Amino acid sequence: QACTYPCQCPSQALQCPAGTSHVLDACGCCKVCARQLGELCSLQKPCDHHKGLYCDFSKIHRGSGICLAHEGATCDLLGKIYHNGESFQPTCKLQCICMDGAIGCIPLCSDDLRLPSPECPNPRRVKFRNKCCEEWVCEEGSEEKRFETAMAVFREDPAQKPELNNLQENCLVQTTEWSACSKTCGMGISARVTNDNPQCRLEKETRLCMVRPCDFPMEKTKKGKKCVRTPKPRQSLHFEFSGCTSTRSYRPRFCGSCTDGRCCTPYVTSTAEVEFRCPEGDFFQRKMMFIKMCSCHYDCPRDNDIFLATYHRRMTGDHV
């Protein structure tokens, strides 16, 4: 009854605290900041269903309720017990949540990197008093040392010295290899560091990756072969990332298994943009790894899942 159509939503971008989901109101019109455990809620101010919370109207009258968590396992972190659905900060650098016995955390401090440049020849991260996150400071040096340090990442051209307003043209691009996928099966994250940007600044870049689906049936190896290197699914599939689904289907290659105890991981890959659509109707794009060739080796990656527990639970509908 309180809904009016066509929808009229605030023009300002929605700003929510770290770890708080954007959810649709009861009218299906506007995105609002989801209410957290123990907070007051209503149809227009729904609870964070991604975290298993619901609005209990039995304890408070006049159309208001309180956000409670569905029954689930508690979490134990360093001897402290957290309830299912409870958000907490174990340190000032992490925002965490307990989800049915599993703990998921997001960083509150950026881990960006800086490369020496003419404006900032000696970048250094400094811990300031009364501030949790370290910040970059640019130390001044002698004019000669300043130019030498900055030139470490610029092309040496005797005919034309690098100009401050033309950094990208003179930038000596430096890019690391992509890191191993954070998951041995299912959707994970791979990262690299590059200065291939207009500021010629060293920055961290990420892409989604899937070495193999967790329920992917392993094919039998042929006689005399030790590895099924790049099996393809028989049918095309849609990628899923944090409850959102790719708008088009793919037939990607996956890494199989090795019969002699070695690990089978991507050896040659490419990167492409993939568009995702979320249940709330939002679209976003992410870079994603596509496997061209796999190889067997003994340098097996360790599981570095963001969840601290031994298992994880999918956060349906949760997206960045």
Side-chain angles (χ1 to χ4, degrees), residues 36-301:
Q36 304 302 305
L37 188 67
E39 294 181 349
L40 294 177
C41 54
S42 66
L43 291 176
Q44 299 302 324
K45 298 176 181 178
C47 299
D48 201 334
H49 62 274
H50 302 143
K51 300 176 181 177
L53 303 181
Y54 69 98
C55 194
D56 185 355
F57 292 98
S58 64
K59 294 178 172 58
I60 301 179
H61 300 290
R62 295 181 182 176
S64 293
I66 188 168
C67 287
L68 298 179
H70 292 291
E71 288 298 319
T74 58
C75 302
D76 183 353
L77 182 64
L78 302 176
K80 189 167 183 180
I81 303 298
Y82 298 95
H83 297 288
N84 180 39
E86 183 177 356
S87 296
F88 58 95
Q89 282 188 248
T91 71
C92 63
K93 295 183 178 182
L94 287 175
Q95 177 73 43
C96 301
I97 180 174
C98 172
M99 286 189 63
D100 197 15
I103 298 176
C105 300
I106 58 172
L108 299 177
C109 298
S110 63
D111 57 350
D112 58 323
L113 301 168
R114 286 199 69 169
L115 194 69
S117 65
E119 315 92 63
C120 188
N122 298 304
R124 190 164 61 92
R125 294 198 78 152
V126 175
K127 178 74 171 71
F128 288 100
R129 191 178 179 182
N130 301 326
K131 287 190 177 182
C132 175
C133 303
E134 296 177 334
E135 296 181 8
W136 285 107
V137 296
C138 299
E139 291 185 342
E140 293 292 335
S142 65
E143 194 66 30
E144 183 177 345
K145 186 178 179 182
R146 173 188 171 113
F147 184 74
E148 286 178 359
T149 308
M151 281 299 294
V153 292
F154 288 91
R155 294 189 179 91
E156 293 186 23
D157 185 357
Q160 179 184 4
K161 291 188 177 181
E163 300 175 9
L164 293 182
N165 60 355
N166 202 10
L167 295 177
Q168 196 168 21
E169 183 179 335
N170 298 294
C171 183
L172 184 62
V173 175
Q174 301 178 65
T175 304
T176 65
E177 295 293 328
W178 287 104
S179 67
C181 193
S182 62
K183 296 277 198 73
T184 54
C185 74
M187 192 68 77
I189 300 291
S190 176
R192 70 177 181 181
V193 175
T194 181
N195 66 334
D196 190 6
N197 52 64
Q199 293 76 33
C200 191
R201 179 178 294 176
L202 200 64
E203 293 178 342
K204 187 177 181 181
E205 187 179 29
T206 60
R207 66 176 180 178
L208 300 176
C209 53
M210 184 185 290
V211 178
R212 62 184 66 83
C214 291
D215 57 353
F216 192 61
M218 292 299 180
E219 297 180 13
K220 292 182 179 180
T221 54
K222 294 180 181 179
K223 189 175 181 180
K225 292 206 170 184
K226 293 184 177 179
C227 176
V228 179
R229 295 195 171 182
T230 51
K232 269 191 173 185
R234 291 183 176 86
Q235 296 180 336
S236 60
L237 56 85
H238 289 268
F239 292 118
E240 287 192 9
F241 175 58
S242 295
C244 305
T245 307
S246 61
T247 54
R248 54 163 289 198
S249 60
Y250 297 86
R251 283 196 66 205
R253 293 180 181 271
F254 295 122
C255 289
S257 58
C258 308
T259 58
D260 53 1
R262 291 183 296 172
C263 299
C264 196
T265 59
Y267 179 63
V268 179
T269 67
S270 62
T271 305
E273 291 277 352
V274 174
E275 185 180 59
F276 290 87
R277 185 182 188 279
C278 302
E280 290 88 349
D282 290 349
F283 289 85
F284 66 91
Q285 289 187 327
R286 286 285 185 277
K287 289 181 179 178
M288 185 159 182
M289 175 190 78
F290 286 88
I291 299 171
K292 291 187 174 181
M293 186 185 299
C294 299
S295 66
C296 287
H297 57 87
Y298 288 107
D299 186 20
C300 300

